[in-house]
Amino acid sequence: MSEGRVVYIDEDPEDIIYFQQFADGHFDVDIIQIDNDSNLEEIVDDILNSPPDAVITDFMLNEKAKVGFNGQALIDMLQERNRHLPCFLLTSHPPDAVAATHDARIVQAKAVMIASNDDLATLFRSQIAKIIVDHNTKLAQAERELEQLVAKPTEERTGIDRDRALELDKYIEEHGLGSDPLPDEIRDERSIDLLTKLILQVDKFLEKN
């Protein structure tokens, strides 16, 4: 049984084969091979339109392909549109990858894909599967909780309920998803909160000038 659907991005055909062998029997894999004509925005669109449970990309995508981006730039653009999408950065250059990323925890040495490193491969597969499960579970729980809060009669909905509904709605939106419309009184409260923050920012700006 598949433990999730993974998109793997690399410019090296040999490493793509290694990854397919690494994932065989564990994950459904879609491959995106980078070449000289690859466009970052189009790749991100293709990935998010899928959508996958996780994305795993090589770091040095520009090592054998003439492109103006690397794996970290790809992850950055993906997470601008889906902040919580699980991503991993595989590399044969760990110091460079760690220095380039905003989250060193996502960096993994490419050696984990090689058959001779079976224990490391097993551990990495377990990490991918666990992160996928945790991510999907958290999102599903957020959607259920928001539905329950929205279903409450207005007169029974407390200030804490409204704050929680706004928090959950924001979390779901950060996945590039839209939840069902919130009741007007909850959305109005969010608008007031955003307006208050804007006024505070303007006040601070005026104080400096």
Side-chain angles (χ1 to χ4, degrees), residues 118-175:
D118 192 55
D119 289 343
L120 293 177
T122 299
L123 176 60
F124 186 42
R125 282 192 290 261
S126 297
Q127 289 173 326
I128 297 168
K130 178 69 162 56
I131 287 174
I132 288 173
V133 168
D134 289 349
H135 170 260
N136 290 342
T137 299
K138 185 177 180 181
L139 178 58
Q141 288 174 341
E143 290 172 334
R144 285 196 300 270
E145 185 181 353
L146 181 59
E147 288 175 2
Q148 292 168 357
L149 289 170
V150 169
K152 271 191 174 185
T154 303
E155 63 274 11
E156 295 180 12
R157 196 179 295 127
T158 67
I160 293 175
D161 289 337
R162 288 191 292 272
D163 289 345
R164 180 59 175 162
L166 292 169
E167 179 185 350
L168 291 168
D169 186 61
K170 181 174 182 292
Y171 173 72
I172 293 168
E173 285 184 350
E174 287 173 347
H175 288 77

Side-chain angles (χ1 to χ4, degrees), residues 17 42 50 64 79 83 98 122 130 132 137 139 149-150 152 183 195 201-202:
I17 293 172
E42 291 177 359
S50 310
K64 295 184 179 180
Q79 294 188 333
R83 179 177 174 182
V98 169
T122 299
K130 178 69 162 56
I132 288 173
T137 299
L139 178 58
L149 289 170
V150 169
K152 271 191 174 185
L195 180 59
Q201 289 174 354
V202 171

Side-chain angles (χ1 to χ4, degrees), residues 17-40:
I17 293 172
Y18 281 137
F19 185 83
Q20 289 172 319
Q21 293 171 342
F22 161 84
D24 185 44
H26 300 274
F27 305 100
D28 294 325
V29 178
D30 285 347
I31 298 295
I32 296 179
Q33 183 170 342
I34 301 300
D35 56 36
N36 295 340
D37 298 321
S38 294
N39 177 275
L40 180 57

Side-chain angles (χ1 to χ4, degrees), residues 44-60:
V44 169
D45 285 342
D46 288 344
I47 293 171
L48 293 179
N49 288 337
S50 310
D53 292 306
V55 172
I56 302 175
T57 179
D58 175 43
F59 174 55
M60 296 291 288

